[in-house]
Amino acid sequence: MSKIKLFYSLLKTNILSITRNKTAFFFTIIFPLCFVGVFGFAFQWSDPITSSKTIGIISYDTGIDESVIAFWNTSIVNQTFYSEEYIRVLDTVLFPESNVTIFDVHVFNQSEHEDAQELLESRNIMALVTLPENFSTGVLAAFRSKFGDDPILTAATGNWSGYPSSDFKTVLLVEGDSTLQDFTVTGTIIDKITQYFFNFGESPVEGVIIDVYGSLLTSGFTVFDFVLPGLIVYAILNNLGSTTDIALSDIERGTLKRLRLSKVTPPMYVFSILASQMVIAFIQIPITFATALLFGFPFSIQILYAFLPAIFLSLATSGMGFIFAGVVRNASAGRGLAAITATPIALISGAFFVIPNPTVIPNILGNSVGLFDLLGAAPAIRIFRGLLLHGNTLSNHLFDLILLIVLSALFLALGLFLYSRKHFKPE
Amino acid sequence: MVEEAVEAKNQAVNKSLKEIVVETKNLEKIYDGKVHAVRGVNFELFDGEVLGFLGPNGAGKTTTISILLGIIQKTKGDFSIYGKDINDYKTIRELIGYTPQELVFYDFLTVQENAELFADCYQIQNKKARINELFDLFQLTELKRRRAEKLSGGQKRRLNLVLGMLHSPKILFLDEPSAGMDPQSRHILWENIERLSKKEGISIILTTHLMEVADRLCDRILIIDYGKIIAQGTPDELKTTYGAEELIELIMDESLDAKLNDSFIVDLRKEFSKITFHENKIKIFTKNGASLIPDIIEIAVKLDVTDYIKSLQLRGSTLEDVFIGLTGKALRE
């Protein structure tokens, strides 16, 4: 019990070191809010993104065998190529309360694949969707997976023996330049429509509009909406300075020596700093989000999911803070280094806009890892964007979450090694 | 000869005192293989004793204390605290309290918050009562809601001291605890340290540059220079063994021409072998002071500086005289 009390006292002291220090308070709390205010003021009243995105589609769909679908007695019995219906949906989806279609769809023949690629590279089309040979089979498999061996359907259709297994999967390829914000938006909408299509919505066109666009935003999509998740990550990245400051000020002030003469152990001391940074991150998320709401950012309950990645982003940031504290000569050098590092990290991680991120690991668990992903902030930004803009859950970002956890563990291990080697051993 | 005399004194002192609570044997500290900060220090601290460490800046006092606290690693030698060595640090740290010469607390916390934090760090059971007791004693009760950064220098010193005493240590290391304090605050501080150490039976290792404090408060004194103990004993023993029997002190008027002043000192040096000059004070250490005063007057008359002698005093030697005699340096705070 007294150990908990001791830990709580250290935690409280570390938090007060930020909230009672004007500079630290400004950089961790006020500064990110200023960013939200500036972006919100500058962009929130700009027009929503309502111009159609030009996309290309090439279909290699070979359709489905008549003998298989003959068991199905609905109106789509004669519709052999489900890809045609899919393309029709993409072509007719509208922006909400608008007659403007989201996509301007160009269908290419299989022989025109190279032309389509050239148009993609020249950015005349924003995304290129390639439908595989087994696309229609995949649709039927999804149908069986969703409805199962329903007894009524079974009675109506005879039996399900000719259907593809419900485990069968078909893979659509959506290509584009992932460094472009437009592709990020386009790709997400295509993904949502595809999910909806394979989920057999009752009213595809209307439903897709509500489902996809409604989950993005309720009243249009602006640059501010795109930037906000990055700003939350930027706020947490600013804690880099406070971790470095606490860890080094305790040495300069002599308080670490005094604490170490008491019953405070090095792990307890370090964990109290990490925990204080998590608490600060937990304060930053709701106040940044609440400020964004004032500037018209649509409320999303998905913000609750953001606390989990925030823990690991906070740990990764604290890890970096300990690395700085373990290598610099004094607290002012540490503070300076942290101050000039947080913003560039946010920038190259894509907090404000997406920038090119050269691939360093092409394929790990079916995902690629970019150079700037290794700083920890980029996966967090993708998760936050997915949660707040696209209405995703954490399961949609499992790879990024795992990457963030691994990176936070690595930063922490290195930071604590350097810090303890320099400051915990007797001189 | 001097070392033998010191050893004999030590043995005599040791016999008359109680249990040994701190013992060092040939303690050494060499930084980076070059700087020899502590050279073979041997001493004992007895139960309930106040042991003073005197020495010029950089003599090795703080380094020696830091080794005992486990903050700095010794290069050679051994030490024990209540019979435990550094490997039993968990036990040791509960027995020791430390007040560093720097002001070590959190500026942004209030006086009360600082005390509660460090009380929690020592897992003190009845912390409120203990904090109140020390606050009353060191006159911090009225200031407990004030942020530490807003305290005066003396108040900060008192808080610094209280934080080292919260857990009722058996041994207290006080490293220049009154540095920068005004005489009144210093008086209150020393009076309370003395009262508390007697009441709670605390043994104290104290470093200070204040000779009169060391003389009044310390049971024994170690004089350290260049990392070595060069003398030790009770204040009276040190004065008897190392002090001149008498001291003639002349205080010169500040308006005295510098050249004339230098000539006066040069002429005095021709007559007397042991002279120190600091600011406007000339000290002559001698065995038969009274008989030498006419000689001093004669030199002053010859150089026509008699009007510039503000005072001439003959007195017994002080601890400061002993110190200057041994180290050749004036102590400074």
Side-chain angles (χ1 to χ4, degrees), chain B residues 152-163:
Chain B
S152 70
Q155 291 162 347
K156 283 179 180 175
R157 283 271 155 214
R158 271 146 45 203
L159 174 62
N160 201 35
L161 182 71
V162 163
L163 298 181

Side-chain angles (χ1 to χ4, degrees), chain A residues 287-398:
Chain A
I287 61 169
T288 314
F289 189 65
T291 309
L293 294 180
L294 295 176
F295 286 95
F297 189 87
F299 178 77
S300 168
I301 196 72
Q302 307 298 94
I303 189 71
L304 295 176
Y305 289 117
F307 287 91
L308 184 67
I311 290 175
F312 295 104
L313 178 62
S314 169
L315 288 176
T317 307
S318 297
M320 278 189 227
F322 276 111
I323 291 172
F324 289 174
V327 295
V328 296
R329 278 191 169 274
N330 53 43
S332 63
R335 277 190 287 268
L337 186 59
I340 60 168
T341 311
T343 305
I345 290 177
L347 197 69
I348 60 177
S349 300
F352 312 119
F353 48 84
V354 180
I355 61 166
N357 188 3
T359 303
V360 286
I361 305 171
N363 190 351
I364 177 168
L365 302 171
N367 293 273
S368 64
V369 176
L371 180 63
F372 303 137
D373 292 352
L374 300 177
L375 294 169
I381 291 167
R382 285 196 294 269
I383 296 171
F384 278 45
R385 225 161 245 162
L387 295 175
L388 299 179
L389 291 184
H390 310 318
N392 292 345
T393 61
L394 288 174
S395 59
N396 299 111
H397 296 277
L398 216 51

Side-chain angles (χ1 to χ4, degrees), chain B residues 35 44 61 98 106 117 123 125 136 190 220:
Chain B
V35 184
E44 297 89 19
K61 307 179 300 278
Y98 175 48
Y106 291 97
L117 167 68
Q123 300 179 345
Q125 294 302 317
D136 285 345
W190 290 119
R220 274 190 313 134

Side-chain angles (χ1 to χ4, degrees), chain B residues 37-233:
Chain B
V38 178
R39 301 162 188 256
V41 165
N42 293 294
F43 72 89
E44 297 89 19
L45 171 71
F46 296 91
D47 192 20
E49 185 185 28
V50 179
L51 180 65
F53 277 21
L54 302 186
N57 291 333
K61 307 179 300 278
T62 302
T63 306
T64 305
I65 288 181
S66 299
I67 292 170
L68 298 176
L69 291 166
I71 295 170
I72 292 178
Q73 259 178 331
K74 62 185 167 64
T75 309
K76 279 184 195 165
D78 275 314
F79 71 89
S80 66
I81 294 176
Y82 277 96
K84 315 271 182 195
D85 66 11
I86 194 69
N87 296 324
D88 204 353
Y89 187 66
K90 273 190 179 178
T91 314
I92 288 178
R93 73 180 172 196
E94 289 186 22
L95 300 169
I96 57 178
Y98 175 48
T99 297
Q101 55 181 304
E102 304 85 16
L103 298 167
V104 177
F105 44 73
Y106 291 97
D107 274 350
F108 55 84
L109 295 181
T110 64
V111 171
Q112 178 79 22
E113 285 168 342
N114 265 299
E116 285 182 1
L117 167 68
F118 285 98
D120 286 338
C121 289
Y122 280 103
Q123 300 179 345
I124 295 166
Q125 294 302 317
N126 200 358
K127 72 173 180 184
K128 273 192 181 169
R130 179 65 176 164
I131 289 170
N132 289 340
E133 180 192 11
L134 291 175
F135 277 5
D136 285 345
L137 196 63
F138 290 97
Q139 298 173 17
L140 288 168
T141 309
E142 300 290 311
L143 304 165
K144 63 184 182 184
R145 286 192 180 81
R146 191 174 295 180
R147 283 210 197 161
E149 64 196 348
K150 301 266 167 72
L151 299 176
S152 70
Q155 291 162 347
K156 283 179 180 175
R157 283 271 155 214
R158 271 146 45 203
L159 174 62
N160 201 35
L161 182 71
V162 163
L163 298 181
M165 301 177 89
L166 282 166
H167 60 298
S168 308
K170 301 301 288 175
I171 305 165
L172 188 57
F173 293 86
L174 301 175
D175 195 1
E176 306 282 0
S178 63
M181 286 174 96
D182 60 68
Q184 289 88 344
S185 303
R186 215 153 52 199
H187 181 74
I188 294 168
L189 182 86
W190 290 119
E191 209 172 64
N192 288 327
I193 288 174
E194 204 171 6
R195 193 181 305 163
L196 202 69
S197 69
K198 282 192 179 129
K199 184 183 155 201
E200 299 188 0
I202 304 172
S203 311
I204 295 176
I205 290 182
L206 161 74
T207 75
T208 182
H209 284 157
L210 300 169
M211 294 295 119
E212 68 277 14
V213 168
D215 201 353
R216 184 168 66 88
L217 213 68
C218 296
D219 298 312
R220 274 190 313 134
I221 287 170
L222 310 181
I223 298 181
I224 303 176
D225 202 10
Y226 298 109
K228 284 176 88 169
I229 297 173
I230 55 172
Q232 61 178 305

